[in-house]
Amino acid sequence: MTAGFGFPFGCVAAIAAVIVADLAGATGHPWYALVTLGAVVLAAAFETSFGAAAGIAVVAWALHTGFVLGRFGELAFGHASAVAAIVLTAALAAGTLTGLVARTPWPVRVPAPRRPVEVRALDLSRSRQSSPA
């Protein structure tokens, strides 16, 4: 995925995750939304640049605190929003580190070349002389 497309795609995915979690009952159980948003941030951090993934994490936190913990987009600051910030930051760090490890070119060990097998050439002239014709 190109870096320029990562942030908008992540924001749309975060909005969809909040809608699905809200339909599943996230207002009564905020962990529903936090788990789905954490998965979105983790996947975005793995696939896109760090800047785009950090922006997605901030948008995900705002969606969680504004529409799951709070109502009508009003941000709610408290213990639950601090836990959400920690969880989303951990997902951002885990996805970024996993993406870096996955994209790191590890040294490839090339085995030493094999010695060529010595093939004895058949002496056709001897076999022709010894065979009766």
Side-chain angles (χ1 to χ4, degrees):
M1 177 181 310
T2 61
F5 190 64
F7 180 73
F9 180 74
C11 288
V12 170
I15 292 169
V18 167
I19 291 171
V20 169
D22 190 36
L23 291 174
T27 53
H29 305 282
W31 284 99
Y32 293 171
L34 194 55
V35 168
T36 57
L37 288 171
V40 168
V41 171
L42 184 72
F46 182 79
E47 284 294 324
T48 64
S49 67
F50 177 76
I56 294 166
V58 170
V59 169
W61 177 82
L63 288 169
H64 182 69
T65 58
F67 293 101
V68 176
L69 299 176
R71 299 291 177 259
F72 305 112
E74 296 174 5
L75 297 180
F77 296 98
H79 177 69
S81 65
V83 169
I86 291 169
V87 168
L88 294 174
T89 302
L92 173 66
T96 301
L97 291 176
T98 306
L100 286 175
V101 168
R103 288 186 287 275
T104 301
W106 297 101
V108 177
R109 183 174 172 230
V110 178
R114 297 180 182 175
R115 291 186 332 186
V117 177
E118 295 178 19
V119 179
R120 295 182 188 166
L122 294 176
D123 191 5
L124 296 178
S125 62
R126 285 186 190 172
S127 63
R128 287 183 188 163
Q129 291 173 358
S130 62
S131 62

